[in-house]
Amino acid sequence: MGIELRTADLIAVREQLGREPTTRFSVVCRCGPGHPLVIRNAPLDANGEPFPTTYWLTCPIAVRAVSRLESGGWIAKLNERIHDDEAFDEGVEAAHRAYADDRAAELPDARGWGGVGGTRTGVKCLHAHYAYHLAGGEDPVGAWVASRLEPLHSERLGGRVAAIDQGTNSIRLLVVAPGPGPRDVPAELARDMVITRLGQGVDRTGRIDPQAFSRTVAVLARYCRRARALGAGRIRVAATSAVRDAENRDEFAAAVREHADSDLEVITGEREAGLSFLGGTLGLETMSSSGVEPPYLVLDIGGGSTELVVGARARRADRAISTPMGSVRLTERLVTGDPPTPEDLAALEREAGHIIEGAVRGAPALADARTLVSVAGTATTLQAIALELERYDPDRIHRTWLALDEAERILVELARMTNEERAALPVMAPGRGDVIVAGAVILVTVMRRFGFARTLVSETDILDGLVFEMLGIG
Ligand SMILES: [Zn+2]
């Protein structure tokens, strides 16, 4: 389950449920007006008791609409259909199995607690099926509920779009509804990230590893179902470094065509940089009173590559450099110990410094920037640690300053920990703990080289850039 939770969502869910939530949860998707629609609960509640309802419908309007179906006798009718219609029966049983697997991914013992909403067979609770459908589950009962109820709010459904950013380390989803005006920032309906390490070993073998491939495609398929369940008419899938460099990228392109019904965009490092710049700088002009002055340098530290992009105005990149240096790639190449040895750290710093010097030679304009904007997981996670957050709250992180001495201090702390200790930090996304030291070295080296005493940390990045482009913003 996601580790991310905004304080505003915690308050909203408390109000929607009319009580304190009893389990840890993350928000899976939202209604057009912005409130949580489905949350994902941890398998154990605060007292350590089993909590089989993994996906929970929280929007009161949705809950009431589903309750009306239930009181109209639809549970009995759907169970009759299961009895009469073999394909429907198989579909419902498959949904129960997949739901149990999904819960078990977090806690293996939880597989035995039943399927959708804890149901072992047949249909018991339409709310649970509908929530699972909205989360991207393949659930014929949930899909049927959706066809009866939607739209839930009297809102415009047109123009909704989704983007998926396939990086080296993670696969991310953003589903949005257009804002009221053509240049307005769109409303977020879902945002998600899973670390599947598609790029694992690509640097060494030149090919995508079969296990990493199937892990990733399973997430891709779920994301596409979720995007469609939320009304996205178009799903754009962009892949960066790892896929770009893999010989067998056609296999991934075929999976994208199947699930997203669109052609995979394998984007060049320069395009990637331009999109990061668009996503990272939209609206920055309004922040000059906080010392955010152009030109802006956007630093996007990925798993397989790092982009450095400079522009004199928000949205429009003037010069971009993509470097073959990323947190996963450097870790695989240079880290030999756990925790990393002093020699490993020295090698990381040397390599990062060397690659950055090459970038500056290729684009001297990089050195003219007055504001450093750091996007993506390395920087946002370091900031979450610097702010001593007990849970990852993007609202607390977005567009706040991280000082160089703080970043250096945290790098030293992280480098002293083992992979296991780093992974156990409450703000660390699963799968990031063992590569964040290399990512932090890249960040600190860039700050030192360009003389930045602080960096603005941004939650918006290439993923936002992809949807802004789809909506004609920027
Ligand atoms: Zn709602």
Side-chain angles (χ1 to χ4, degrees):
M1 94 164 228
I3 49 147
E4 196 172 303
L5 179 60
R6 300 171 185 177
T7 302
D9 287 336
L10 182 60
I11 294 167
V13 168
R14 200 182 279 152
E15 236 168 68
Q16 288 175 326
L17 302 181
R19 58 171 172 76
E20 203 62 39
T22 56
T23 64
R24 283 184 302 115
F25 67 89
S26 55
V27 175
V28 174
C29 57
R30 300 165 190 282
C31 292
H35 52 254
L37 170 59
V38 174
I39 60 173
R40 187 182 205 279
N41 292 302
L44 296 173
D45 72 11
N47 298 318
E49 297 294 326
F51 199 90
T53 306
T54 306
Y55 295 100
W56 188 292
L57 194 66
T58 62
C59 163
I61 289 171
V63 171
R64 277 198 296 276
V66 177
S67 296
R68 278 196 296 275
L69 282 182
E70 289 192 347
S71 40
W74 278 103
I75 292 182
K77 284 181 232 174
L78 286 163
N79 279 311
E80 275 166 36
R81 183 168 165 199
I82 285 175
H83 192 265
D84 300 336
D85 176 345
E86 201 177 325
F88 189 67
D89 181 21
E90 277 171 16
V92 176
E93 292 309 309
H96 285 320
R97 281 194 301 274
Y99 192 103
D101 287 345
D102 182 335
R103 190 196 301 119
E106 205 178 335
L107 183 71
D109 288 350
R111 194 184 307 275
W113 302 349
V116 181
T119 305
R120 288 180 198 281
T121 184
V123 179
K124 290 205 174 60
C125 170
L126 296 184
H127 299 85
H129 283 277
Y130 183 42
Y132 186 42
H133 164 77
L134 289 168
E138 218 168 355
D139 184 331
V141 176
W144 176 86
V145 172
S147 71
R148 295 281 301 209
L149 295 187
E150 292 175 357
L152 291 166
H153 295 268
S154 49
E155 59 193 353
R156 200 165 58 90
L157 288 179
R160 294 182 167 195
V161 296
I164 294 171
D165 169 34
Q166 177 60 62
T168 297
N169 205 29
S170 63
I171 174 167
R172 299 186 304 152
L173 168 72
L174 178 60
V175 187
V176 300
R183 307 282 288 181
D184 289 332
V185 173
E188 182 182 311
L189 302 174
R191 192 185 280 270
D192 206 346
M193 191 268 296
V194 179
I195 293 179
T196 61
R197 293 274 172 92
L198 185 66
Q200 191 172 51
V202 170
D203 198 28
R204 199 178 57 249
T205 63
R207 299 181 65 79
I208 298 168
D209 167 79
Q211 279 186 334
F213 180 83
S214 49
R215 273 198 304 272
T216 304
V217 171
V219 177
L220 173 76
R222 189 167 78 231
Y223 279 177
C224 291
R225 286 192 299 264
R226 188 183 310 166
R228 285 207 185 83
L230 296 172
R234 280 179 299 149
I235 304 173
R236 176 179 191 187
V237 185
T240 52
S241 184
V243 174
R244 199 159 59 213
D245 301 339
E247 288 163 24
N248 55 339
R249 67 188 198 190
D250 288 353
E251 294 168 31
F252 188 68
V256 168
R257 213 166 295 120
E258 180 189 341
H259 296 289
D261 195 28
S262 61
D263 285 326
L264 171 68
E265 299 175 53
V266 178
I267 59 180
T268 64
E270 290 220 0
R271 279 280 294 142
E272 182 176 359
L275 288 160
S276 291
F277 193 85
L278 171 61
T281 60
L282 189 79
L284 273 193
E285 309 93 324
T286 62
M287 287 188 68
S288 56
S289 62
S290 343
V292 180
E293 296 292 339
Y296 311 108
L297 175 60
V298 170
L299 171 67
D300 184 351
I301 302 169
S305 69
T306 288
E307 277 64 48
L308 294 134
V309 206
V310 70
R313 285 173 303 144
R315 301 177 184 193
R316 190 82 56 222
D318 296 330
R319 190 74 178 87
I321 290 276
S322 178
T323 66
M325 144 180 93
S327 58
V328 175
R329 210 180 273 225
L330 290 194
T331 303
E332 286 183 354
R333 271 190 199 165
L334 301 171
V335 176
T336 61
D338 177 22
T341 65
E343 292 74 30
D344 291 348
L345 291 170
L348 286 172
E349 281 180 27
R350 235 183 356 259
E351 179 70 1
H354 176 72
I355 291 175
I356 292 161
E357 283 318 315
V360 180
R361 274 197 299 280
L366 293 178
D368 299 337
R370 295 182 61 188
T371 302
L372 177 65
V373 182
S374 299
V375 303
T378 292
T380 58
T381 305
L382 287 185
Q383 180 67 323
I385 296 169
L387 295 171
E388 298 179 354
L389 300 186
E390 282 164 20
R391 56 190 158 73
Y392 191 96
D393 180 349
D395 291 343
R396 298 276 307 276
I397 294 162
H398 184 52
R399 296 203 167 153
T400 56
W401 292 105
L402 171 64
L404 173 60
D405 52 7
E406 275 286 277
E408 286 171 329
R409 181 182 63 78
I410 294 161
L411 167 58
V412 170
E413 268 178 36
L414 291 174
R416 281 194 192 127
M417 296 181 193
T418 62
N419 289 336
E420 201 179 335
E421 286 165 339
R422 269 179 252 115
L425 294 173
V427 295
M428 193 67 68
R432 193 179 303 287
D434 48 345
V435 297
I436 195 164
V437 171
V441 167
I442 297 172
L443 177 68
V444 164
T445 308
V446 167
M447 291 181 80
R448 285 180 188 151
R449 170 61 183 81
F450 295 105
F452 289 107
R454 59 181 190 168
T455 175
L456 196 66
V457 176
S458 174
E459 285 281 337
T460 53
D461 55 29
I462 180 173
L463 186 58
D464 303 76
L466 288 166
V467 299
F468 292 160
E469 263 195 359
M470 292 174 91
L471 296 173
I473 306 170

